[in-house]
Amino acid sequence: MIRDGCAEVERVGGAGDQGADVIATDPFGRRWIIQCKHRRQGVSGAPVGVRDLHVLNGTGRPVHRGDVVVLVTNAAFTKPARRFGQDQRLHLIDRVLLEEWMQRGQPVWELLDDRPPTLKDPAPDVSPGAADSPEPKRYTLASAYEAQVLPWKPATMRQYFVRSVRRGVPVPAGKWDGQATHYTEEELRTWLADWASQAGSTSKIHSILSASNGTEPVDASMNSDEPPGDTVVSHAREKPRRSG
């Protein structure tokens, strides 16, 4: 969860954990409650059944105040368990999806088959003429970077979203299609402007926004996937002078 850009990740499993092993807050401000079920024999062992989901279902939201409740196992789930999870809005990650999560490096919310239950579509626009308005183009973080709507690659943008949550800067909601979150250009540029307004005068973001407006060239170093910093720091070293 830390790799995915979550903040306040806490391992709480143990005696009296009331069904929670990991608690985390994602870049969208959602509280994740995760329970882990380990099987010594993996997929060859007993699958996780409905009984294993009862405690998590009873405590995930009422006790732990979770927005997204997940059970992760290195084994499989029974068909009744999958039906129960779907009925109760519980996300189930089996051995196959767990390996995919580890290997692909995508955030868990982009790998889940089901839409996170707390991420809702915006209310439809019922104003006069709204039906004639074309749907704005949407971008994933990756396609927004490729189209130069965003100056940073997805991994770096997720770190900025985490910082936004901590600093009270609204994170764009976007629209989830079951695989990834898609944002309009207006949403992303509004976030960039909001972030710039709270950043210090030496922040990289001011130079980047100026460059995007054509007032100066974009520094390629600002398009890196390295963890972003709030201030511009020069790493140049003065060459020693030769004596004589």
Side-chain angles (χ1 to χ4, degrees):
M1 298 300 286
I2 295 175
R3 184 204 66 184
D4 289 355
C6 291
E8 301 175 6
V9 180
E10 183 181 6
R11 182 178 178 180
V12 296
D17 60 19
Q18 294 183 319
D21 291 309
V22 176
I23 298 176
T25 302
D26 69 17
F28 308 99
R30 298 174 300 183
R31 183 176 173 87
W32 288 63
I33 307 300
I34 303 175
Q35 185 179 39
C36 305
K37 288 292 182 183
H38 179 264
R39 295 290 192 259
R40 181 175 299 179
Q41 297 179 342
V43 292
S44 300
V48 176
V50 174
R51 181 177 299 180
D52 295 304
L53 300 178
H54 282 166
V55 173
L56 179 63
N57 188 50
T59 62
R61 295 183 179 91
V63 176
H64 297 295
R65 306 185 308 281
D67 298 309
V68 185
V69 183
V70 184
L71 195 146
V72 181
T73 182
N74 66 328
F77 292 96
T78 64
K79 290 184 178 180
R82 291 190 178 277
R83 287 195 296 268
F84 182 84
Q86 184 174 9
D87 292 342
Q88 300 300 318
R89 297 187 305 158
L90 303 176
H91 291 288
L92 308 182
I93 298 179
D94 60 12
R95 176 64 173 266
V96 175
L97 190 56
L98 179 61
E99 291 182 350
E100 187 176 359
W101 181 17
M102 294 171 58
Q103 295 172 3
R104 293 180 59 179
Q106 287 181 281
V108 62
W109 47 87
E110 293 186 4
L111 289 176
L112 291 172
D113 293 334
D114 296 326
R115 181 194 184 105
T118 59
L119 189 59
K120 300 178 180 178
D121 287 330
D125 187 355
V126 295
S127 59
D132 300 329
S133 301
E135 176 71 16
K137 182 177 180 179
R138 292 183 175 272
Y139 302 85
T140 63
L141 293 181
S143 63
Y145 171 75
E146 293 173 356
Q148 298 184 346
V149 175
L150 291 174
W152 296 292
K153 294 181 181 180
T156 304
M157 278 303 304
R158 293 185 191 107
Q159 295 183 45
Y160 267 117
F161 281 169
V162 171
R163 292 187 178 190
S164 295
V165 172
R166 293 172 179 170
R167 299 186 185 185
V169 178
V171 174
K175 189 174 183 180
W176 179 264
D177 68 355
Q179 295 183 343
T181 304
H182 299 255
Y183 308 89
T184 64
E185 183 173 350
E186 180 180 2
E187 285 180 311
L188 295 173
R189 294 201 180 278
T190 298
W191 174 84
L192 283 169
D194 290 343
W195 179 263
S197 67
Q198 62 80 48
S201 59
T202 58
S203 174
K204 289 181 180 180
I205 191 66
H206 294 289
S207 299
I208 293 173
L209 292 181
S210 296
S212 66
N213 291 330
T215 59
E216 61 181 76
V218 176
D219 184 349
S221 65
M222 295 178 183
N223 288 340
S224 69
D225 219 355
E226 297 176 359
D230 286 344
T231 57
V232 178
V233 179
S234 175
H235 296 283
R237 294 183 179 179
E238 182 181 355
K239 294 182 178 181
R241 297 179 180 178
R242 295 183 179 179
S243 59

